[in-house]
Amino acid sequence: MLFSWKALLTPLLSLLAFTSTTSAVNLIESEALQSCQVNSGFTASLFDVTFFPGNGSLEFNIVAISTISGYVTAEIDVAAYGYDAIKKTLDPCSLNLEGLCPLSTGSDIVIQSNVEIPSDVTSQIPGIAYSIPDLDGVVTVKIYNSQTGEQLACVQADLSNGKTVYQKGVGWSTGAVAVLALLVSAIVSGLGHSNAASHIAANAMSLFGFFQSQAFFGMTAVHLPPIASAWTQNFQWSMGIIKLGFIQSIATWYLQATGGTPSTILSSLSTTSVNVQKRDLGALHYISRAAQQAVHNPLIHLASTSVGKTASSFVRRATSQIVKRQSATDYSGKLLTVRGIERVGFRADIELSDIFMTGYIFLVIFFGVVILGLLLFKFGLEAFVRSGKLKSDKFQEFRNGFVTTLRGIIFRLVLIGLPQMVVLGFWELTKQDSAGEMALAVVTVFTMLIMLIWACFRVWLLARRSIHQHKNPAYILYSDPECLHKWGFLYVQFKATTYWWIIPALLYIVTKGLFVALAQNSGITQAIAFLVLEAALLIGLCVVRPYMDKKTNAFNIAISSVNFVSCIFLLFFTDIFGVPGLVVGVMGVIFFILNAAFALILVLMVLIATLYAIFQKNPDVRYQPMRDDRGSFIKSQTRFTTELDALGATARGENKLGYKQEGDDESYQSSWNADTPHNGSGYSAINEPYNKEMLHSPKVGYGGAPYIRENSVRSNNSQVSFMNQNNNLAPNRSQTASPWQRGAGYDR
């Protein structure tokens, strides 16, 4: 069985060797040391060791704490992806290791040296170890008394070759594609191509949601393999974790101004070793034994591993200390292990106490840039129209309904920023960096939640009223421009009959974010919660199929399927099943390949659709009309191209520009006049000028009622037939419903 896993791992590692990396020099290094034995006689607060295979030299800078004196021997065990690659016994005296021959007791023992490693040792290191990104390797050193053979200490160090799949270019490029798609969808919508705009926006939002899901994986407290951790780091920009100098300055200033103490991890790296938590390679068993024996390690170690059932109150007290933010002086001369959200912030070169404010400030800047851009675009359009450089009918809906559109865009921004603020906001309440930051977290998160809950309630109210009055939720949701532009972001990506899907979607986002924020001490809890949530979402998508068409449903089902498989990997990473380390190493590589390939496919699909919309004169021809016939209800201010459009506008009772005069609070009444007499169906009896014989090629609409598509109504043949059969267009009061009502799927 071991051979089969090795056979699988070899080609995967060879493939990864061609991945874009950051370091051009072959090396193997380690920057943190941790104990793997109870009462270990040797630990280090600073550990910086680098091996250069080119000349076989080993450089190290160590600040050690030792309770061992005398001559010792060291047994070195190097493991890669859970497989023992090298096992060697060395004599420090024969290698002339200064400070280790003999080893003396004391604290802050400085060991600095540069030695040459024997060729019989270096020859055992395969060449691929220097090229594969995010090497999953660990070296274990056991120290024995040279005379008695007693084991005196055991330490472990994670290995790296300086190459990684965490590339800032990946984050910038994926972010650019998502922003470009959303921007193009807005422009295309302003030009009147609502069908293309809806599809592009829906896919762009789904792509952005996938990026945030990847970021969520990296923010968990699970012991991720190095390559999985590095890959998820590429998408932390979607959570606002972006290092910019002025943002860090503002974050630190606000923290100090509101009574907080900034951490100084990044400025203390010369005296502090920071162990970026990776896959568990034995520290769990060490902590469990320490708990059972109630033996306190002399080194203050912020434990990063999950605590098993056998852990005692000693471990619970040690774990609880992670919740409290340490002061700046607490880190000096100590080994700090970061995990979860702190691991993400540290890898982004952000101080731990600035993580929340960094995400918050970035979100505020994003909101401000979008709103300012909209204002400039609005004023620019007006200036071009007045100067005659732009036709007056261009972006007319956007210009005439700018205030309503601006409100809708603000709600869209809130929806985009909700996952980020749920995670960072509730996490900040556990860290308590300062009273001011906690106040910001509470006010911002609950304001966003209240806004979205209110929006969902309004959509539900309007849809239910539309069903009651017109037997179809699409009528009011799409016929009223104010409703469509303000609340449409909640339902345009769904079928008209599944407008309510936004409610379980929001519950999924909030619940998942809460587990990320509040379960930072238990990776197992987070992994199980993720698996249950993703399974529920996947089943719901497959059964309900709530999105607007088959392609959009397939797009989102594929995303949910990949997320579900990733959650299975995440559960294995917790070591809950006790699988061999080599198996976990292989799964880490597969996790990266699966998500990287799928992300590339999604990005290309969205990018192609976006470019098509840019360069195609009529991008709507790429997409079929919606089965819910929403196009029959979407009203345009710009022009009426046929006589039937004008008649339909008159039947609906709208003004020349298509907008109702009612205020926002009365938007649900924008499709009818309360003072107009109604027939038994609840629809205005004045809007009934046509005969049933006008309807041809009926389809089954909402509730089994027949309807016709907008394309068939507006076709030339239909128009000629209509004009020939109806020379007298006077209203026929004997009919029970208007063609707009029947054409959208109403009962005859």
Side-chain angles (χ1 to χ4, degrees), residues 373-441:
L374 282 172
L375 292 174
L376 294 177
F377 186 63
K378 158 72 172 174
F379 294 139
L381 288 176
E382 297 295 345
F384 280 118
V385 169
R386 291 176 182 176
S387 63
K389 296 181 179 179
L390 185 69
K391 294 182 179 180
S392 59
D393 61 346
K394 295 296 184 181
F395 295 97
Q396 188 171 357
E397 286 191 49
F398 173 79
R399 292 187 288 113
N400 291 348
F402 176 73
V403 175
T404 301
T405 302
L406 181 61
R407 292 175 182 174
I409 290 177
I410 291 176
F411 276 101
R412 285 170 172 84
L413 295 176
V414 171
L415 181 63
I416 292 174
L418 180 65
Q420 169 187 336
M421 290 311 303
V422 168
V423 172
L424 296 181
F426 282 99
W427 178 73
E428 173 60 28
L429 297 181
T430 67
K431 293 302 177 182
Q432 304 177 8
D433 289 312
S434 73
E437 292 191 6
M438 293 174 63
L440 278 180

Side-chain angles (χ1 to χ4, degrees), residues 410-613:
I410 291 176
F411 276 101
R412 285 170 172 84
L413 295 176
V414 171
L415 181 63
I416 292 174
L418 180 65
Q420 169 187 336
M421 290 311 303
V422 168
V423 172
L424 296 181
F426 282 99
W427 178 73
E428 173 60 28
L429 297 181
T430 67
K431 293 302 177 182
Q432 304 177 8
D433 289 312
S434 73
E437 292 191 6
M438 293 174 63
L440 278 180
V442 172
V443 172
T444 304
V445 172
F446 283 97
T447 298
M448 296 174 78
L449 289 174
I450 291 173
M451 290 178 65
L452 291 176
I453 291 173
W454 167 247
C456 290
F457 174 73
R458 290 302 304 271
V459 170
W460 179 85
L461 184 65
L462 292 170
R464 298 305 300 175
R465 181 177 291 274
S466 182
I467 293 173
H468 176 71
Q469 298 287 344
H470 310 291
K471 305 296 190 295
N472 191 337
Y475 188 90
I476 295 179
L477 293 180
Y478 290 96
S479 66
D480 180 9
E482 286 197 14
C483 174
L484 183 61
H485 292 162
K486 183 183 292 187
W487 315 116
F489 71 99
L490 292 175
Y491 59 82
V492 291
Q493 66 270 35
F494 307 122
K495 293 181 294 187
T497 54
T498 54
Y499 64 90
W500 48 266
W501 186 259
I502 187 62
I503 297 176
L506 287 178
L507 289 176
Y508 161 82
I509 292 173
V510 173
T511 305
K512 193 174 182 179
L514 288 174
F515 275 103
V516 174
L518 303 179
Q520 285 288 300
N521 292 332
S522 178
I524 295 178
T525 300
Q526 291 175 325
I528 295 176
F530 275 30
L531 187 65
V532 173
L533 289 172
E534 292 296 344
L537 179 63
L538 179 58
I539 294 173
L541 288 175
C542 293
V543 173
V544 180
R545 297 183 181 271
Y547 287 89
M548 62 179 74
D549 56 17
K550 291 182 178 180
K551 290 183 179 180
T552 310
N553 274 308
F555 190 86
N556 286 273
I557 289 174
I559 291 176
S560 183
S561 300
V562 172
N563 284 339
F564 177 72
V565 174
S566 298
C567 288
I568 296 176
F569 285 124
L570 193 70
L571 192 61
F572 275 91
F573 295 157
T574 63
D575 201 29
I576 192 174
F577 301 112
V579 296
L582 184 59
V583 177
V584 177
V586 172
M587 295 184 71
V589 176
I590 297 176
F591 176 91
F592 161 70
I593 294 176
L594 171 66
N595 285 279
F598 186 70
L600 178 61
I601 294 173
L602 292 183
V603 168
L604 290 177
M605 291 177 63
V606 173
L607 184 60
I608 291 173
T610 302
L611 294 178
Y612 185 90

Side-chain angles (χ1 to χ4, degrees), residues 184 188 191 193 196 200 608-623:
V184 169
V188 170
L191 293 174
H193 306 294
I200 296 173
I608 291 173
T610 302
L611 294 178
Y612 185 90
I614 294 175
F615 297 107
Q616 186 70 17
K617 185 176 181 180
N618 183 15
D620 278 343
V621 300
R622 177 184 173 90
Y623 308 98

Side-chain angles (χ1 to χ4, degrees), residues 65-144:
I65 302 173
S66 173
T67 59
I68 303 172
S69 62
Y71 294 93
V72 297
T73 58
E75 180 182 280
I76 300 178
D77 186 2
V78 180
Y81 297 91
Y83 171 71
D84 291 333
I86 300 175
K87 196 167 188 177
K88 192 77 174 179
T89 301
L90 301 177
D91 184 359
C93 295
S94 62
L95 297 176
N96 297 320
L97 296 180
E98 182 181 351
L100 297 178
C101 181
L103 191 62
S104 58
T105 60
S107 59
D108 297 333
I109 301 175
V110 179
I111 305 174
Q112 292 181 334
S113 184
N114 188 329
V115 299
E116 184 176 349
I117 301 298
S119 59
D120 61 332
V121 176
T122 59
S123 62
Q124 300 181 48
I125 303 176
I128 196 174
Y130 305 110
S131 57
I132 179 175
D134 298 292
L135 178 66
D136 187 2
V138 63
V139 57
T140 302
V141 180
K142 297 179 181 179
I143 301 176
Y144 297 91

Side-chain angles (χ1 to χ4, degrees), residues 475 632 635 640 642-654 660 683 687 689-690 714 738-740:
Y475 188 90
S632 299
K635 295 180 286 187
F640 293 103
T642 67
E643 185 175 353
L644 184 59
D645 288 328
L647 292 172
T650 303
R652 290 195 299 257
E654 62 185 30
K660 302 300 177 185
Y683 192 75
N687 295 328
Y690 309 120
R714 298 188 179 184
S738 75
W740 293 97

Side-chain angles (χ1 to χ4, degrees), residues 33 35 40-44 62 64-66 68 100 103 111 143 153-155:
L33 191 72
S35 299
S40 179
F42 185 89
T43 54
I62 303 173
I65 302 173
S66 173
I68 303 172
L100 297 178
L103 191 62
I111 305 174
I143 301 176
C154 177
V155 290

